[in-house]
């Protein structure tokens, strides 16, 4: 994912104030240990999350609360026409258990 220039503080603020109903949905969907990292030179965001089962937070895009969150975040980051964050799947090159 990628932030728009100058939006790092606002992005962090909004996540510090994550809506309780969104947090509840994520937890009920098996998402935990969810972290987002920012490369301040490129404005690239990298997210990592533990998942119980086969789903991820990206699978929740059809829910009303996630669509509302995407619309709320659309002014601070690159988004697709449906307001979902533009994201690129990364190839895992190392894993240690």
């Amino acid at each position: 994912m990628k932030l728009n220039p100058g939006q790092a503080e606002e992005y962090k603020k909004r996540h510090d104030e994550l809506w309780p109903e969104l947090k509840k949905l994520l937890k009920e969907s098996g998402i935990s240990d969810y972290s987002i990292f920012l490369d301040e030179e490129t404005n690239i965001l990298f997210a990592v999350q533990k998942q119980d089962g086969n789903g991820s937070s990206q699978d929740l895009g059809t829910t009303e609360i996630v669509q509302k969150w995407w619309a709320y975040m659309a002014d601070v980051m690159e988004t697709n026409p449906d307001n979902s964050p533009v994201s690129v799947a990364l190839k895992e090159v190392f894993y240690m258990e």
Side-chain angles (χ1 to χ4, degrees), residues 41-72:
E41 288 185 25
T42 64
N43 286 327
I44 298 290
L45 297 163
F46 176 76
V48 179
Q49 59 189 236
K50 283 189 180 179
Q51 308 165 33
D52 286 339
N54 296 324
S56 79
S57 60
Q58 298 304 306
D59 299 326
L60 302 174
T62 59
T63 64
E64 183 180 343
I65 189 65
V66 170
Q67 290 178 7
K68 186 177 171 183
W69 180 259
W70 286 349
Y72 176 59

Side-chain angles (χ1 to χ4, degrees), residues 17-81:
E17 300 168 353
L18 187 67
W19 302 337
E21 62 269 32
L22 180 55
K23 184 175 182 178
K24 181 180 178 195
L25 173 66
L26 290 168
K27 287 188 172 282
E28 288 176 349
S29 299
I31 308 300
S32 64
D33 293 334
Y34 192 170
S35 298
I36 302 174
F37 301 89
L38 171 64
D39 178 339
E40 294 179 301
E41 288 185 25
T42 64
N43 286 327
I44 298 290
L45 297 163
F46 176 76
V48 179
Q49 59 189 236
K50 283 189 180 179
Q51 308 165 33
D52 286 339
N54 296 324
S56 79
S57 60
Q58 298 304 306
D59 299 326
L60 302 174
T62 59
T63 64
E64 183 180 343
I65 189 65
V66 170
Q67 290 178 7
K68 186 177 171 183
W69 180 259
W70 286 349
Y72 176 59
M73 297 300 292
D75 65 324
V76 298
M77 61 191 308
E78 292 183 7
T79 60
N80 295 303

